[in-house]
Amino acid sequence: MTPPPPLGRRRRKDGPAFDPALDDAELATARDALARGRWAEARNLLAGTGDDWDRRGHRLVVLAEEAGSAARAREWQRAEPGSPDAAALLACATVRRAVDGRESPDAARAACLAAARAAPADPSPWLGVLLLAHRTGTHDERVRAFDQVRARHRDHHHAHHLMAACLAERRQGDRDDPLHEVYDFASWAAEQAPADSPLAVLPVVAHAERYRVLARAGLEPRDPARSGHWTGRRARQVMKAAFDWWLEWDVDDGTAHPRRKIDLNYLAHAKLHEGRPAEAAALLTRIGPHATRAPWSYPGRDPRKAFQAARRATLGAA
C-alpha cells in the first residue's frame, strides 16, 4: 500500500513556500504534530517561548491556523484546566474559525477575554481580539484592542501591522493622500520604537496596504509595476529609511525577530516597484524561500507568480 504523503508545508521545487511559520523550525514541528492530533509539542513550544511576546503571538497565530487546533486546545484544557497557554491557543483558534465563518464572533471574543483573564500580562489574547475586529468589528473596537495590546507590549509587531491594515482601509474612495492617517500612524510608531525595532519598516507596510485599498477601488493600476505609488518623493524617503535600517540592524541568527521575513518581503516588493532592482535582489536573497503572500498578492494577484517574476527580474532565477 502506498504510504500517505507527509504532513507539513513542503516547498514546491519551482517556487516559494508561503509557510506562515517562516523560518521557525520549532514552530513548524509543533504545528505538524498538532495536525496529527498531538498537543504536547505545542505545550512545550509555548512554555519555552515565555514572555517573548512577539514570538509568542506569532507562534499562537500560526498554530491556530491548523484546522483541528481548537479541538486540540480543548483536549489540552481538559488535561490542564488552568493552563493559560491552552486558553490562548483556544482563543486564537476560535478567532480563526470566526474569521472563516465557522464560529460566531461572540464566541471568539469570549474565548479571547477568558484567555486574557487567565494571563493578564499577555498581549496575545488581545491580539486575537484585534484580528477578529479587523474582519468583523468597528473602528473603535480595533483601536481599543490595539491599545490593550500596546499597553502590554508597546512595540508589538503583529498588532502594528494589523492596525496599519485597518487604517489603510479607511476613506477607501479617496485618492492617495500623503496626510492619510495610516502614514501618520506608521511614522509615529517607527519614531517611538527602539532603534533596532523592525517597526522601522512599518511606513513601507503602510504604503503597501494603502496601495492595496486604492488599487481595489480602481484608483491605482492593479499592476503595481504600472503604478507611481512607490516613486514619489515621500515614498522614496520612506523606502530609503527602511532599507538603511535593514543594512544596519538585520541579522539572520537565533536572536533575530520572529517576523522579520515579513518585513523583508514588504521592503523587497517596495524596492522592486521603486525601480531599485539591485536593492530588491539583496533583500530577495535574504528572504530565500520564506516568501509571504502579502504584499505580493496585492491587489488580488497570484503571489507565487509575482514573487517568481520578482526573482527573475532581479536575480535571473525563479
Side-chain angles (χ1 to χ4, degrees):
M1 184 174 68
T2 303
L7 291 171
R9 309 297 199 275
R10 292 192 304 168
R11 181 165 63 96
R12 283 171 42 172
K13 292 181 180 179
D14 61 343
F18 293 115
D19 184 350
L22 302 173
D23 55 351
D24 189 335
E26 292 179 278
L27 171 59
T29 298
R31 178 194 57 198
D32 294 345
L34 202 64
R36 291 184 170 92
R38 302 197 308 267
W39 50 263
E41 288 86 345
R43 176 186 184 278
N44 295 338
L45 179 75
L46 294 174
T49 307
D51 61 358
D52 182 345
W53 299 129
D54 277 332
R55 195 173 304 276
R56 178 176 171 82
H58 172 61
R59 286 175 163 178
L60 280 165
V61 169
V62 172
L63 290 171
E65 291 183 357
E66 279 302 326
S69 58
R72 302 291 84 76
R74 291 190 183 95
E75 291 174 7
W76 181 1
Q77 280 193 316
R78 286 194 290 272
E80 299 179 5
S83 169
D85 290 345
L89 178 57
L90 179 60
C92 291
T94 310
V95 167
R96 179 76 260 171
R97 288 176 57 82
V99 167
D100 291 343
R102 294 177 290 135
E103 187 67 81
S104 76
D106 287 346
R109 182 174 177 80
C112 290
L113 295 179
R117 288 191 295 271
D122 184 3
S124 306
W126 293 103
L127 176 65
V129 175
L130 181 55
L131 282 161
L132 182 67
H134 181 209
R135 299 298 182 88
T136 67
T138 65
H139 174 67
D140 287 346
E141 288 170 339
R142 295 163 190 158
V143 171
R144 285 196 296 270
F146 175 74
D147 286 346
Q148 291 286 350
V149 174
R150 197 168 186 272
R152 290 160 175 81
H153 179 38
R154 172 177 168 166
D155 303 315
H156 199 288
H157 188 270
H158 196 168
H160 280 82
H161 273 236
L162 280 170
M163 202 62 203
C166 292
L167 292 174
E169 292 162 7
R170 287 166 62 79
R171 293 162 45 197
Q172 295 193 22
D174 290 356
R175 292 196 174 273
D176 199 18
D177 177 359
L179 301 179
H180 190 280
E181 60 194 300
V182 71
Y183 300 137
D184 286 344
F185 167 76
S187 296
W188 166 81
E191 290 167 2
Q192 294 287 316
D196 62 345
S197 170
L199 291 182
V201 185
L202 193 66
V204 176
V205 175
H207 212 73
E209 294 298 338
R210 189 60 183 159
Y211 167 74
R212 167 180 60 87
V213 173
L214 293 169
R216 285 183 176 174
L219 300 174
E220 285 283 350
R222 293 183 67 82
D223 180 357
R226 294 177 49 237
S227 170
H229 190 68
W230 284 270
T231 56
R233 178 174 175 273
R234 182 193 170 281
R236 290 196 304 270
Q237 290 174 337
V238 164
M239 308 316 161
K240 183 181 186 307
F243 189 76
D244 288 349
W245 175 88
W246 175 67
L247 289 175
E248 182 173 2
W249 292 104
D250 183 62
V251 294
D252 202 8
D253 58 25
T255 67
H257 193 279
R259 285 167 47 90
R260 72 195 182 286
K261 298 291 187 182
I262 295 173
D263 291 307
L264 296 189
N265 275 267
Y266 274 93
L267 188 52
H269 178 268
K271 282 295 177 181
L272 177 70
H273 297 303
E274 186 193 0
R276 312 280 294 198
E279 293 174 0
L283 290 156
L284 287 164
T285 299
R286 181 54 64 91
I287 288 167
H290 303 294
T292 56
R293 295 187 182 279
W296 302 103
S297 63
Y298 292 170
R301 306 172 76 218
D302 183 321
R304 185 176 299 278
K305 290 181 180 178
F307 185 79
Q308 290 174 324
R311 287 182 57 84
R312 284 194 298 271
T314 59
L315 298 170

